[in-house]
């Protein structure tokens, strides 16, 4: 047997063998060009009008303060942050905090099994203490429950 052409074998003079390689060089070239285009274009896409801002002597805005959290548990006990308060100590303690920081935000958390009237009593104490920014805290909406037949 003599030396035949490359790919020769098994009796055929020329056998076809597919090339199982992918040339990724053009793909890499295109990706690098796109990367350079985006790197150059991104700083130019800033939104706004260029202005020369004036200098000021005002103090920097401080970090946002933590809200005062008042919680009422299922039994009607009142907690300031995580400390349980006696019924007569709630208003004076809140008034002392309001005296230190009258712009503080108060979050009132009430157990869902608690009566509406009890939550309103605590909100009244918070208001009498001098707080004007009061929020009620609740869980987010639950996913709607559907009947098995698809009816709402």
């Amino acid at each position: 047997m003599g030396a035949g052409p490359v790919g020769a074998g098994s009796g055929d003079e020329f056998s076809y063998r597919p090339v199982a390689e992918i040339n990724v060089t053009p793909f890499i070239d295109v990706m690098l060009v796109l990367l350079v285009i985006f790197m150059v274009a991104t700083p130019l896409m800033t939104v706004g009008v260029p202005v020369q801002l004036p200098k000021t002597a005002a103090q920097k805005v401080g970090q946002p303060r933590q809200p005062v959290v008042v919680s009422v548990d299922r039994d009607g006990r009142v907690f300031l942050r995580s400390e349980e308060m006696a019924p007569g100590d709630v208003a004076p303690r809140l008034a002392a905090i309001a005296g230190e920081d009258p712009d503080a935000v108060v979050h009132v958390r009430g157990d869902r099994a608690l009566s509406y009237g009890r939550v309103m009593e605590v909100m009244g104490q918070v208001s009498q203490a001098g707080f004007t920014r009061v929020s009620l805290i609740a869980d987010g909406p639950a996913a709607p429950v559907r009947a098995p037949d698809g009816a709402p």
Side-chain angles (χ1 to χ4, degrees):
M1 282 201 154
V6 175
S10 67
D12 293 336
E13 189 173 326
F14 295 102
S15 315
Y16 173 73
R17 275 199 252 165
V19 177
E21 296 177 3
I22 297 175
N23 188 3
V24 294
T25 304
F27 176 71
I28 293 172
D29 290 343
V30 169
M31 297 316 291
L32 288 175
V33 169
L34 287 174
L35 177 66
V36 170
I37 289 172
F38 283 116
M39 287 173 59
V40 170
T42 300
L44 301 176
M45 295 181 351
T46 58
V47 178
V49 178
V51 293
Q52 296 293 327
L53 296 175
K55 302 289 183 194
T56 181
Q59 295 179 355
K60 292 183 179 179
V61 177
Q63 294 288 67
R65 297 179 301 263
Q66 292 291 340
V68 177
V69 179
V70 178
S71 303
V72 187
D73 69 356
R74 180 180 295 245
D75 300 325
R77 296 179 297 179
V78 179
F79 294 82
L80 181 59
R81 295 184 176 94
S82 61
E83 177 186 346
E84 184 176 358
M85 304 295 298
D89 293 342
V90 176
R93 185 78 181 273
L94 287 172
I97 294 172
E100 294 172 8
D101 187 8
D103 292 333
V105 176
V106 178
H107 291 177
V108 178
R109 300 173 59 231
D111 193 278
R112 78 174 73 185
L114 198 60
S115 71
Y116 179 74
R118 180 63 180 134
V119 174
M120 292 311 297
E121 287 175 18
V122 172
M123 294 227 10
Q125 290 175 338
V126 169
S127 178
Q128 287 176 351
F131 290 105
T132 56
R133 299 173 65 191
V134 182
S135 299
L136 288 173
I137 305 298
D139 282 336
V145 178
R146 300 261 179 197
D149 61 354

